[in-house]
Structure formats: C-alpha cells, structure tokens
Amino acid sequence: MTTSPFTPDDAAENELADYYQLALADARTERPDDPEPTYEAAIGRLRTPLTALGRCVHRAAYADGRLVGLISAGLPEDENVEQAVVDVKVHPDHRRRGIGTTLLRTLLPTLASERRTLLAGWGLIEGKSGASWAKRRGFRVVYRQVLQGLDVVATDRELWRVAAPEGYRTVQWVGTAPAELLASYAEARSAIHDMPSADWSYRPPTWTPERIRRAEAELRERNVEQRVVAAVHEETGTAVGLTELEFYPHRPDFGYQQETAVLAGHRGRGLGRLMKARMMDWVVQERPGTTHVWTTTADDNVHMRRVNEQIGYATIRVMVNVEVETDAVQL
C-alpha cells in the first residue's frame, strides 16, 4: 500500500472511477438508508465541498495500483484557522489494515505546515465504522446533531402557507443581498452565534457587509446557488432574520439548508417558520426538480427541530462531531 497527495481536479479518470466505488461502498455501509450517490454527485462533492469546510487538501491510498482510501481535510478560515476538518474513507474490502491511520499520519505534516492544531470530524454516525475509528484515534464527542430531511415531492404544501406576523414581511433573493438590507442582513446573520453548540470548538463567522459580499462572490465562483429569504421589520425597514439554502451543481435536485437566524429581540413571533416555509414555496416554483432538502440542527435545539417538523422535515439520524488535538491523536 502506498499513499500520495491527491488533487481531485487533476485526477485521472481511473482514479475518479475508483473513488466513486469507494464513495458508493462507504455510503452503503455508513448510510444505507440514504439515496445512493451518482457518479456525478460523488465527484462533484469531492471537487466542490460544503462552503464551511474552506479549502481542502487530500491524500490517497493505493493497493495494487487502485485507489482504496482517501483522507480529505477541510481548512476553515478566519475564526477557525487552527482547525482541520478531516474525513477518512477506506473501501470496506481494505479495512482493518491500518490504511485510515496511515493516511492520517502522512497528512499530519501538511496540517502542521498549515498551523492546524485541532482535528475535527463532522457528521459521524455512532456505531458505524467512521465513529469507531475516530474513537480509537482519541477523538472525543463534542456535539450532537440531528440530520433532518424534507421530501419535497411527498410533503403537503399547505404546510408552507404561513402568514407573516403583523409588522413583518419577507424579502428573497438569489446570490446578492439588496444594498439597502446589506448592513442589517449582516447583523442578522451574526445572530447565529448564540445557537446551542455544547463543547464544539467551531465558531460561526462574524458577518460584516464586506464579508457578506466576499462570501457571495466565492459562491458564484464555485457555481453554488445561494437562495436567501429574510424577514424584514416593517417599522425600521431592516432585516431581522434569515434562512439560507444552497444548491450545488453536481446534485441539483438536493437543497442544503444552511443558516437560519433571528435577532433576539424579534424571536417568539414565528419568523423562523415563516422564512423556511416561504423558502420552500419559492423553491418548488423556481426549481421544480428539487426532490429533497437536508439540514442539520443541534440535538438539544428543540425549538428549531420543531420549526422544521412544522414545515415537513423528518429526522433521519443523530450524528456526532468529534475533536482531538493534533499532539494527542493516537496513531
């Protein structure tokens, strides 16, 4: 078995074919109830990771010339520059041979050069091989979350007929926030900071108008469609809440719900439900091929879980995030 750096955009077709078989086998063993990824979806996700991960570096393992394992490390920026979010996949036919551990060991010098002192794993499923491997390597559970999914085709659309509370209205846009709402929208996005986070070290961004514009440009460069529904306070004309949905080019039928936040002084009025309902009503009109929307919510965030359920989401599974300091990882 050998390892080497791996660059998805430059990989040979046979390597991508091997990776797809790896991703497919991993999905079947770790998440057998999920829709199986297509080749386009698996390779697209590899080349266009979720925005929160930042830039990614990869290292592959080969046996008899075939790619049988891959470690990917997302390198978040700004508030989380000490972290590396690692994901390890090893084909089931090659597990229990130390391949995952070898991949991590050989990647550590790269992470050290990036000054990443904390390793994290997101969305692991307790009892499955990934979580068990992480536990043996010294990772500890720091956060529990639920994955909730909305079956767009099967959901009763009457659940999305939600009236705005008195004194509020919604505004929606794709890609670029209106200039007149930019400052208040940035403030509303920063309201995510008081979400339940247990012992999770990840810190949400502190949003400014300039950072909003930079993030919007980055999404456009990656061909990621961002849809936003904002709640506007009529008296002040300011955005006081938002919900955000992303669509990736490699899986256009799936929407990924990102941030939902409401400023503290405007909570308790049903704005979260209103914005999410308006989002779905808008999506089915403009993107009728959308079949599913997925979101993650803190396991103890009872309020947001209930809001999601009110518009048709159902819990798919409970997942955990794990962390370990790089100097404490067990190799």
Side-chain angles (χ1 to χ4, degrees):
M1 191 268 294
T2 60
T3 73
S4 67
F6 181 82
T7 305
D9 288 340
D10 298 331
E13 287 299 321
N14 65 302
E15 290 181 297
L16 295 178
D18 285 345
Y19 173 77
Y20 176 58
Q21 293 304 315
L22 167 61
L24 193 59
D26 181 76
R28 287 171 175 170
T29 56
E30 296 285 306
R31 302 170 299 281
D33 296 329
D34 290 1
E36 290 190 345
T38 63
Y39 176 88
E40 292 76 14
I43 302 306
R45 176 68 178 270
L46 182 64
R47 288 175 165 170
T48 311
L50 294 176
T51 53
L53 292 173
R55 176 170 56 91
C56 288
V57 294
H58 312 268
R59 196 168 184 91
Y62 300 86
D64 299 323
R66 304 291 299 273
L67 189 152
V68 298
L70 187 77
I71 185 169
S72 303
L75 305 175
E77 299 178 347
D78 300 309
E79 293 85 359
N80 299 286
V81 293
E82 80 285 0
Q83 299 189 29
V85 184
V86 297
D87 177 66
V88 182
K89 289 182 174 63
V90 176
H91 195 285
D93 293 344
H94 294 268
R95 291 177 182 169
R96 300 290 181 179
R97 303 179 189 179
I99 293 176
T101 304
T102 298
L103 283 170
L104 178 58
R105 182 186 299 114
T106 56
L107 187 64
L108 283 176
T110 299
L111 300 183
S113 71
E114 296 277 352
R115 303 187 181 216
R116 305 287 166 156
T117 58
L118 183 72
L119 302 179
W122 293 354
L124 296 136
I125 306 168
E126 288 186 308
K128 297 294 186 177
S129 60
S132 299
W133 177 86
K135 184 177 181 180
R136 293 195 298 273
R137 302 285 75 79
F139 286 80
R140 61 191 180 277
V141 173
V142 294
Y143 182 72
R144 294 182 183 274
Q145 59 186 329
V146 294
L147 174 66
Q148 294 180 291
L150 192 153
D151 185 330
V152 177
V153 178
T155 299
D156 180 0
R157 297 186 181 183
E158 286 301 313
L159 296 175
W160 307 334
R161 308 293 185 254
V162 178
E166 184 177 355
Y168 296 89
R169 59 184 169 88
T170 60
V171 176
Q172 58 201 40
W173 63 83
V174 179
T176 304
E180 66 273 15
L181 292 177
L182 182 58
S184 59
Y185 169 57
E187 183 181 358
R189 284 195 74 169
S190 294
I192 198 75
H193 279 266
D194 58 5
M195 72 175 184
S197 59
D199 296 320
W200 192 20
S201 297
Y202 181 81
R203 297 177 296 282
T206 298
W207 293 102
T208 63
E210 296 75 20
R211 190 167 182 179
I212 292 284
R213 291 299 191 227
R214 188 170 74 243
E216 291 171 341
E218 289 171 355
L219 288 171
R220 287 193 295 271
E221 289 173 4
R222 301 172 72 212
N223 201 25
V224 177
E225 179 182 287
Q226 180 200 50
R227 288 178 176 260
V228 176
V229 174
V232 173
H233 184 227
E234 295 275 23
E235 183 179 344
T236 62
T238 59
V240 297
L242 68 120
T243 192
E244 173 196 9
L245 197 59
E246 291 179 354
F247 288 92
Y248 287 74
H250 56 270
R251 203 169 190 181
D253 56 332
F254 263 71
Y256 294 91
Q257 176 74 58
Q258 301 296 329
E259 297 176 6
T260 298
V262 176
L263 289 172
H266 297 269
R267 293 174 186 167
R269 295 171 171 83
L271 294 179
R273 181 185 177 196
L274 170 69
M275 294 185 298
K276 289 196 170 190
R278 293 281 172 88
M279 175 69 80
M280 292 313 307
D281 199 41
W282 181 31
V283 164
V284 296
Q285 292 180 47
E286 294 201 354
R287 296 186 63 103
T290 304
T291 60
H292 293 82
V293 175
W294 281 358
T295 189
T296 56
T297 306
D299 187 37
D300 57 354
N301 191 346
V302 177
H303 170 71
M304 189 55 68
R305 292 178 62 176
R306 184 169 59 249
V307 166
N308 290 338
E309 290 163 0
Q310 287 171 339
I311 63 168
Y313 282 86
T315 295
I316 298 172
R317 57 177 167 265
V318 177
M319 305 182 299
V320 296
N321 292 356
V322 297
E323 294 178 352
V324 66
E325 290 71 20
T326 54
D327 59 4
V329 67
Q330 301 297 309
L331 298 173

